[in-house]
């Protein structure tokens, strides 16, 4: 990252008229290519690909600009395959060690396009996506190739939807972002809740809680510095984000839910197992923004009766930690707007994050013990008749409401779950073509609501989707005299 971090967005000016573009996916050499495989998240994805490629009989390769680093990643996979902590079985079949390495550099779109032409799906794990992502998306759209990534960058996602959705639809190229901790649990969790809500869903409140399953005494970081840099860029690009969001919303006719001022900071009972209420903060980006697009797609494209709103919150537990979290957010938002300070935030993530973010990222103990629980509380009405004991209450006199709570749980959500989710997204595009859209820049739910994606997540121990409670309340309306 150089000084003018916001001026480094990789350009995509390129005339593909002289490029030979393959439009026959069945003749492509690879099912999946992992681009950016030598990065921190990329190495997790490569390890998981070693497992999934054999389970689903896939051909695959890895790509990037530093072939030596890529070879080291493969050597590590060959050495540890079957012993990796997130695998449950021993895998064989890589004795010949012939997973291909492809050179591709985002500074040269021709190399990225050549890479994209050889595969059905590109898994892009090269971030920050605001800087490096558009070249890969455009290359995939131009070469009729599918694309998935793990970004949580709202600006990037909505800019890509505005700029490339029409051409992606015309070229039958599926572009799906946010296939990680953000925003698969939220987006597919809402779909799961709606599917199992016996009535008319009116509103959903989502509460994400991140925690450790046990106390770990370590000086390890909690996140990789790439995640920190993406967060800083998100805060620094508010004007650009609102610009493209307004353009996209106007183009799509999308109306987003307004914030509930009374619940920006509030207490909420998260678990039905105890009566304890925890302090929570409104956290609309990126999950709430992604879900809003999914609901709009369901209503306008799939013609589904999605007439409910969704708001997202982060669980902090105590009032002190919630206020501290709000203070840090406001402080970073202000600091990120000033270029000299922003440069320092990006160049010295360990210092300014107080050790939370480093180049080495979290260690194995931190990852093994990290957990995520997303609680989705759905409110609405239902046509369920009152029980016999309430037979004196007529239908006209009675209001029947329903409250359904869904839990989505994941281990190692930042990297383990994310790696599985993005790969299973790519696999779903390959295996479930009849049940997914033909093309377009889509959210996870818009792409996979009719597919086996959620079932695959559960089958491979990536996440659990379950109904925690389903409560129906009968209330007799008072009659005016």
């Amino acid at each position: 990252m150089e000084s003018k971090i916001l001026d480094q967005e990789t350009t995509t000016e390129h005339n593909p008229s002289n490029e030979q573009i393959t439009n026959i996916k069945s003749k492509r050499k690879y099912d999946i290519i992992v681009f950016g495989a030598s990065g921190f998240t990329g190495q997790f994805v490569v390890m998981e690909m070693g497992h999934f490629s054999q389970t689903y009989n896939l051909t695959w390769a890895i790509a990037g600009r530093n072939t030596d680093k890529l070879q080291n990643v493969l050597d590590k996979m060959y050495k540890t395959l079957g012993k990796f902590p997130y695998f449950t079985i021993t895998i064989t079949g890589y004795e010949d060690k012939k997973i291909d390495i492809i050179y591709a550099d985002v500074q040269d779109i021709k190399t990225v396009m050549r890479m994209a032409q050889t595969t059905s799906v590109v898994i892009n794990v090269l971030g920050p996506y605001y800087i490096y992502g558009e070249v890969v998306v455009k290359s995939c759209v131009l070469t009729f190739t599918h694309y998935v990534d793990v970004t949580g960058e709202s600006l990037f996602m909505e800019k890509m939807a505005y700029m490339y959705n029409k051409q992606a639809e015309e070229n039958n190229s599926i572009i799906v972002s946010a296939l990680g901790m953000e925003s698969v649990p939220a987006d597919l969790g809402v779909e799961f809740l709606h599917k199992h809500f016996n009535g008319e869903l009116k509103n959903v409140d989502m509460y994400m809680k991140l925690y450790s399953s046990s106390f770990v005494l370590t000086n390890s970081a909690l996140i990789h510095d790439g995640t920190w840099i993406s967060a800083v860029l998100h805060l620094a690009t508010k004007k650009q984000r609102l610009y493209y969001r307004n353009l996209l919303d106007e183009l799509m006719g999308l109306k987003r839910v307004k914030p509930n001022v009374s619940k920006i900071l509030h207490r909420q009972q998260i678990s039905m197992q105890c009566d304890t209420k925890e302090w929570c903060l409104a956290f609309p980006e990126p999950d709430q923004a992604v879900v809003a697009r999914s609901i709009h797609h369901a209503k306008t494209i799939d013609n589904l009766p999605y007439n409910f709103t969704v708001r997202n919150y982060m669980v902090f537990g105590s009032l002190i930690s919630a206020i501290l979290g709000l203070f840090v957010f406001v402080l970073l938002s202000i600091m990120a707007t000033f270029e000299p300070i922003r440069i320092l935030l990006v160049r010295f993530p360990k210092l300014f994050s107080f050790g939370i973010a480093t180049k080495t990222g979290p260690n194995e103990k931190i990852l093994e013990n990290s957990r995520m629980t997303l609680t989705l509380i759905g409110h609405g009405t239902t046509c369920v008749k009152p029980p016999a004991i309430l037979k004196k209450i007529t239908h006209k006199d009675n209001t029947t409401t329903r409250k359904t709570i869904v839990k989505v749980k994941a281990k190692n959500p930042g990297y383990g779950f994310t790696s599985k989710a993005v790969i299973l997204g790519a696999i779903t595009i390959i295996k479930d073509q009849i049940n997914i859209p033909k093309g377009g820049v889509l959210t996870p739910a818009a792409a996979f609501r009719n597919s086996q994606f959620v079932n695959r997540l559960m089958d491979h121990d990536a996440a659990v989707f379950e109904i925690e409670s389903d409560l129906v309340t009968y209330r007799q309306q008072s009659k005016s005299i």
Side-chain angles (χ1 to χ4, degrees):
M1 301 294 166
E2 299 297 332
S3 59
K4 294 187 177 181
I5 188 73
L6 296 184
D7 296 332
Q8 289 192 17
E9 184 178 6
T10 308
T11 60
T12 59
E13 294 180 3
H14 172 65
N15 186 351
S17 59
N18 296 325
E19 300 287 332
Q20 273 196 323
I21 298 176
T22 305
N23 188 17
I24 305 176
K25 294 185 177 66
S26 61
K27 291 185 178 180
R28 305 229 170 158
K29 184 174 182 179
Y30 308 106
D31 294 310
I32 294 173
I33 288 179
V34 180
F35 180 58
S38 62
F40 188 78
T41 302
Q43 295 182 52
F44 285 89
V45 174
V46 169
M47 288 293 186
E48 295 290 1
M49 272 301 302
H51 166 63
F52 285 116
S53 62
Q54 293 205 341
T55 302
Y56 289 94
N57 191 27
L58 301 169
T59 57
W60 66 292
I62 64 174
R65 69 175 183 174
N66 191 322
T67 55
D68 290 337
K69 287 185 177 180
L70 294 171
Q71 185 61 59
N72 290 338
V73 172
L74 285 182
D75 290 343
K76 180 180 178 182
M77 184 196 73
Y78 297 141
K79 183 178 180 180
T80 62
L81 202 57
K83 301 176 183 179
F84 196 63
Y86 309 109
F87 293 159
T88 57
I89 60 173
T90 301
I91 304 170
T92 60
Y94 286 102
E95 294 84 356
D96 55 0
K97 301 182 180 180
K98 288 185 178 179
I99 300 300
D100 291 340
I101 296 174
I102 300 171
Y103 173 80
D105 184 354
V106 290
Q107 302 295 337
D108 183 358
I109 191 173
K110 291 181 181 180
T111 64
V112 181
M113 289 183 67
R114 283 196 289 268
M115 171 199 72
Q117 289 184 74
T118 64
T119 186
S120 295
V121 187
V122 170
I123 295 178
N124 182 20
V125 283
L126 179 63
Y129 291 85
Y130 167 74
I131 299 175
Y132 303 119
E134 185 178 347
V135 170
V136 189
V137 170
K138 184 172 184 177
S139 296
C140 287
V141 172
L142 291 177
T143 58
F144 310 89
T145 304
H146 304 309
Y147 166 102
V148 293
D149 69 37
V150 298
T151 186
E153 300 173 29
S154 297
L155 168 57
F156 169 76
M157 290 187 280
E158 295 182 355
K159 181 181 178 182
M160 295 302 98
Y162 175 73
M163 294 184 64
Y164 295 107
N165 180 65
K166 183 177 180 181
Q167 191 170 8
E169 290 179 338
E170 293 172 351
N171 290 3
N172 292 335
S173 176
I174 298 172
I175 310 296
V176 187
S177 289
L179 283 171
M181 184 182 76
E182 297 168 329
S183 297
V184 169
D187 210 20
L188 276 302
V190 169
E191 290 294 316
F192 186 87
L193 173 60
H194 182 267
K195 180 180 179 181
H196 292 87
F197 193 88
N198 185 15
E200 185 177 355
L201 188 60
K202 297 292 186 180
N203 62 78
V204 180
D205 287 330
M206 304 186 296
Y207 293 89
M208 178 174 284
K209 184 175 183 178
L210 301 174
Y211 62 99
S212 178
S213 62
S214 61
F215 176 75
V216 178
L217 183 61
T218 177
N219 60 355
S220 169
L222 298 180
I223 60 174
H224 186 256
D225 65 356
T227 304
W228 169 266
I229 293 171
S230 292
V232 171
L233 286 176
H234 173 81
L235 296 174
T237 55
K238 181 180 179 180
K239 290 183 179 179
Q240 295 96 317
R241 187 170 72 250
L242 293 177
Y243 173 75
Y244 280 105
R245 177 164 294 176
N246 290 335
L247 289 176
L248 179 64
D249 290 355
E250 183 178 353
L251 178 66
M252 297 173 59
L254 194 160
K255 294 183 179 180
R256 299 178 189 262
V257 60
K258 295 181 180 179
N260 186 340
V261 178
S262 65
K263 297 185 73 173
I264 290 178
L265 175 61
H266 68 283
R267 296 181 70 200
Q268 176 66 43
Q269 181 182 344
I270 303 303
S271 174
M272 296 297 293
Q273 308 303 318
C274 63
D275 296 331
T276 305
K277 290 186 177 182
E278 301 186 69
W279 284 96
C280 309
L281 274 176
F283 204 81
E285 300 287 348
D287 289 344
Q288 187 172 305
V290 170
V291 173
R293 287 175 53 204
S294 297
I295 293 174
H296 183 78
H297 186 278
K299 292 164 60 176
T300 59
I301 305 300
D302 293 341
N303 297 316
L304 296 173
Y306 280 41
N307 298 309
F308 57 91
T309 58
V310 178
R311 292 182 176 87
N312 189 53
Y313 304 92
M314 181 66 73
V315 179
F316 283 86
S318 69
L319 178 59
I320 293 176
S321 61
I323 293 175
L324 181 61
L326 181 60
F327 173 77
V328 170
F329 172 78
V330 173
L331 181 62
L332 279 177
S333 298
I334 296 172
M335 294 173 66
T337 59
F338 297 97
E339 185 175 308
I341 299 177
R342 182 170 64 247
I343 294 169
L344 294 175
L345 291 173
V346 170
R347 287 186 173 176
F348 305 103
K350 184 176 181 179
L351 174 64
F352 286 95
S353 70
F354 300 100
I356 291 175
T358 67
K359 293 186 179 299
T360 56
N363 63 25
E364 187 175 304
K365 287 184 178 180
I366 293 290
L367 295 177
E368 287 179 347
N369 287 279
S370 62
R371 299 288 186 271
M372 183 279 299
T373 298
L374 184 71
T375 304
L376 300 99
I377 305 174
H379 296 271
T381 58
T382 182
C383 59
V384 176
K385 294 181 180 180
I389 193 172
L390 301 177
K391 62 182 179 180
K392 292 183 179 180
I393 300 178
T394 65
H395 179 71
K396 292 182 179 180
D397 296 333
N398 186 64
T399 299
T400 307
T401 60
R402 173 168 248 121
K403 177 182 176 182
T404 302
I405 300 178
V406 162
K407 291 280 190 182
V408 182
K409 303 175 184 177
K411 304 173 184 176
N412 184 10
Y415 301 98
F417 167 80
T418 292
S419 298
K420 289 184 178 182
V422 73
I423 294 172
L424 290 172
I427 290 171
T428 300
I429 290 175
I430 295 170
K431 300 294 184 180
D432 292 3
Q433 294 183 18
I434 194 172
N435 294 318
I436 60 178
K438 298 299 181 183
V441 180
L442 306 168
T443 59
F448 302 135
R449 64 168 47 97
N450 297 317
S451 73
Q452 294 298 310
F453 180 59
V454 169
N455 290 336
R456 289 191 177 102
L457 289 172
M458 292 194 287
D459 289 344
H460 292 285
D461 196 31
V464 174
F465 290 71
E466 61 185 8
I467 298 174
E468 183 179 63
S469 70
D470 188 24
L471 177 65
V472 176
T473 304
Y474 305 95
R475 294 177 181 172
Q476 185 173 11
Q477 296 178 352
S478 60
K479 298 180 180 180
S480 59
I481 300 176

